[in-house]
Amino acid sequence: PTVIAEQITLQNAPWGSPPDLATRKRWEAQIGLSPILFGKIEVKRLILVKPDILIEVNESGKLNLEFESPSAPKKGKQKKSPASFKLPPLVLKEVRLDIGLILYKHGKPTETYALKIDSLEASSEGFNSPLVFKLMGSYLDNPLEAAGTLGDSPTLFRPDKPWPLKLSLKSKKTSATLEGSIRDVMGAKGISLTVKANSPSISEIGRLAGVDDLPDVGPVKIDLRVSDSRSDAYKISDIIVALADSDLAGSGEIDLGSARPKFEAELSSKNLDMRPLIKEVPRESESEKPPKKQKKGSSKIFPDDPLSVDSLNIADARIKFQGKRILLFAFALQDISLDLVLEKGRLVVDPIKSSIGGGNMVGRLEVQPQDDGVAMAATAKIENIDTSVVPKEVGISEIIDGKIKLVDIDVSSSGRSVADLMARLSGKTTIVMDE
């Protein structure tokens, strides 16, 4: 027998933005009769035409897919508790979806993410066989192809047995694979996934995620493993990131269960070139060009654009980093180690240890948000720098010849912009140089 329904509408939660949670132009299901005699449900063919599904989370974090519990019965009229219901084994032998839309709304102000499905085909050979699928569509107006294999249906509803999955995603020239298992799919527990991604540019990854203006610094390769350590806490291990000539490795943990998300990580790098990530930094050839004329009425050396400090309050973080070499615009840092702590908006990097030009550096940085911007304090002590080595490490011709015996910096400031910080800068800077 085949069940056919048209113009189907499912009501949304009372607090939902639109009245409908989902609509379908046509729904068709062909069900096998003989498996029902053995307590199984076999859907031989399932066809969905133009399904539109809305998933949204309100300000209190409630999902519109959560059904309301029935009200408690009045005293004196208590009913017998209904017997528990267990979903019988289910298999989808053939699934087809034509022209669908899935919307996800979250946050304040509300952000909307749209997944458009042009076609979805899936099939399974039996109750204990995996489900193979292929999807064509778009995400944030970027073309998307997805294909993969999902575990069998009986395991999907068994929290004591790992449910395997293997997925591949492709959008433009960016591709990614996910492979592993989830022990309790319905409870989203027991996650163990290996993620691999490749892209010709970090700017393309940014556009796929809805972030613009990321610099194009070359090809990107990412390998990592994701697992859950406890409820709402996830470990990210075996991290290997290759970005052009730069690399990053390590492990971390994200805790989403507390009021403020927490992130802890231990990272390391053999070579980290920060120069492509620094915007509007002149190249050496450009330094020989005549300076551009300033706009009339603008005489500021430092920008007076308001500083954005909202990112300091997004989450708490503790990061330990060790690097062999970091390339900056005018110099390179060698053998770097630092401890970073971000807690309730206050950022402290202490200590910062490194060598520069053959000399040793020890420093500290603190940034604290204020109503009128930020307050900052920095200290640094550098000894025995060979100035002829410093620019050569980043490919700049020799500018100064000599040795700096000591650089001692102890400054603080506050303000709403870089111009404010520089104008209100106070403290001391001491430089001792021979000859």
Side-chain angles (χ1 to χ4, degrees), residues 89-156:
L90 170 69
V91 65
L92 301 173
K93 301 204 72 173
E94 181 186 349
V95 179
R96 193 176 82 233
L97 188 152
D98 297 327
I99 311 176
L101 177 64
I102 299 176
L103 291 178
Y104 176 71
K105 292 185 177 182
H106 177 74
K108 185 182 180 182
T110 303
E111 295 182 3
T112 302
Y113 304 90
L115 172 62
K116 296 180 181 178
I117 301 174
D118 296 328
S119 64
L120 170 63
E121 296 179 357
S123 62
S124 177
E125 295 181 357
F127 288 97
N128 297 312
S129 301
L131 180 73
V132 181
F133 78 94
K134 184 177 182 180
L135 179 147
M136 302 289 290
S138 63
Y139 176 70
L140 294 177
D141 295 326
N142 296 297
L144 175 66
E145 298 180 25
T149 305
L150 305 177
D152 59 75
S153 299
T155 306
L156 179 64

Side-chain angles (χ1 to χ4, degrees), residues 121-369:
E121 296 179 357
S123 62
S124 177
E125 295 181 357
F127 288 97
N128 297 312
S129 301
L131 180 73
V132 181
F133 78 94
K134 184 177 182 180
L135 179 147
M136 302 289 290
S138 63
Y139 176 70
L140 294 177
D141 295 326
N142 296 297
L144 175 66
E145 298 180 25
T149 305
L150 305 177
D152 59 75
S153 299
T155 306
L156 179 64
F157 301 99
R158 289 186 59 180
D160 60 333
K161 192 174 181 182
W163 186 69
L165 70 157
K166 185 177 182 180
L167 307 177
S168 63
L169 306 171
K170 184 178 180 181
S171 181
K172 296 183 178 179
K173 295 182 179 181
T174 298
S175 62
T177 61
L178 287 81
E179 186 172 359
S181 63
I182 304 175
R183 181 175 48 80
D184 182 0
V185 179
M186 297 305 168
K189 299 176 183 178
I191 299 172
S192 179
L193 297 173
T194 299
V195 182
K196 297 178 181 291
N198 290 277
S199 178
S201 169
I202 194 172
S203 58
E204 180 170 308
I205 294 179
R207 285 192 294 270
L208 296 177
V211 180
D212 296 322
D213 300 328
L214 289 180
D216 187 355
V217 297
V220 186
K221 184 179 179 181
I222 302 172
D223 289 4
L224 54 88
R225 187 174 185 83
V226 180
S227 59
D228 55 338
S229 55
R230 59 185 186 278
S231 179
D232 295 327
Y234 303 91
K235 285 185 177 180
I236 306 174
S237 56
D238 302 332
I239 301 172
I240 300 176
V241 179
L243 178 61
D245 296 328
S246 300
D247 65 89
L248 189 68
S251 61
E253 184 169 351
I254 301 174
D255 186 356
L256 303 176
S258 54
R260 291 172 63 90
K262 296 180 181 179
F263 176 69
E264 295 187 6
E266 291 190 9
L267 304 172
S268 63
S269 174
K270 295 178 182 177
N271 186 73
L272 201 58
D273 191 349
M274 302 297 294
R275 293 172 296 175
L277 302 177
I278 302 174
K279 294 183 179 181
E280 299 178 355
V281 173
R283 298 186 182 93
E284 185 178 5
S285 59
E286 294 176 345
S287 63
E288 300 173 0
K289 297 178 182 179
K292 294 180 180 180
K293 292 183 179 180
Q294 289 187 341
K295 294 180 180 179
K296 192 174 182 180
S298 175
S299 60
K300 288 188 177 294
I301 297 174
F302 301 103
D304 58 358
D305 301 324
L307 292 170
S308 177
V309 296
D310 294 339
S311 57
L312 293 175
N313 288 297
I314 293 176
D316 294 338
R318 290 180 178 270
I319 300 174
K320 291 182 179 290
F321 174 80
Q322 289 189 338
K324 190 66 179 175
R325 184 174 73 160
I326 296 181
L327 298 177
L328 300 173
F329 170 58
F331 57 90
L333 298 175
Q334 309 282 352
D335 301 323
I336 312 101
S337 66
L338 59 85
D339 289 356
L340 181 150
V341 177
L342 176 62
E343 189 171 6
K344 296 180 180 179
R346 179 173 173 258
L347 173 66
V348 177
V349 187
D350 184 21
I352 307 171
K353 295 181 179 180
S354 177
S355 65
I356 174 173
N360 296 319
M361 179 188 74
V362 178
R364 182 182 189 274
L365 172 68
E366 180 177 351
V367 180
Q368 178 77 49

